[in-house]
Amino acid sequence: MKITFLGTSHGVPAANRYCSATMIEIGDNIYFIDAGAPITDLVLRMGKKIENIRAVFTTHSHGDHVIGLFSLCDLVTWHYKKAFISVYLTEQKLLDLLFETSGYLSNNNPARRINFEKITESTVYEDKSIKVSYISTMHKNRGIEPSYAILFETEGKKLLFTGDLSGNLKLNDFPSYGLENHTDLTVCEMAHFSMDHIHPYLEKLKTDILCFTHVYPLDKYELIEAKKDTFGYKMLSPSDGDTIEL
Ligand SMILES: [Zn+2]
Ligand SMILES: [Zn+2]
């Protein structure tokens, strides 16, 4: 399994960082956690096939996690005739908007090649390679809509993506799954709280590798570097294009 960080910025892109998007490859199959980067273009630039994208799992409906879906859904609707992609979204409104704009732009029915799914806490995606389940968090998206962490299981390995979490972690919503169970990789946001806020959770985290993405403000990169030998696991802050093989 190969994990490629295609977008490591927080809500706003930087000169050398797109917003949130992580690509996971298992054999020829491509999966995405969040699509805040131009994932269609990036997949093509890497010489990979759009037809190999199996599913995109979003954590919530903020633009920095979903905006890249508009071109992917449009192009799959009319151009990539051999593609069939599942797209998991947290809000019906966004699902309807993507469906309608893809069809509007192309004159075709998006449902022919895109399986749009609305996420609930009991949603589970499974195919021959992977199992994905959702853990709700308290990150506020216009006050009411849900946000999720994602547990991605494959080849006997477990990857936990926190998605965005609550401001200052006041709502204690660091996903308890990661504190109670071993994971091979945890990808954690770092924009809505300080290193002090998250420190108690990092002490309990049972992971082999922790990657901080979605980092803001940028001086937190120095704090992450300073703490990298504090816990019993590898702590990284990847840049766009960095990869991890598990
Ligand atoms: Zn975000
Ligand atoms: Zn957000």
Side-chain angles (χ1 to χ4, degrees), residues 76-85 99 106-116:
V76 166
T77 297
W78 71 272
H79 180 69
Y80 293 104
K81 294 184 170 56
K82 289 184 181 161
F84 189 83
I85 300 179
F99 189 94
S106 71
N107 244 351
N108 288 321
N109 182 357
R112 289 193 305 164
R113 299 202 194 99
I114 305 171
N115 171 39
F116 286 104

Side-chain angles (χ1 to χ4, degrees), residues 9-11 20 34 59-60 62 64-65 139 163-164 189 191-192 214:
S9 195
H10 59 95
S20 296
D34 282 328
T59 57
H60 64 297
H62 278 156
D64 59 316
H65 298 257
H139 177 62
D164 287 5
E189 72 122 328
H192 294 95
H214 201 277

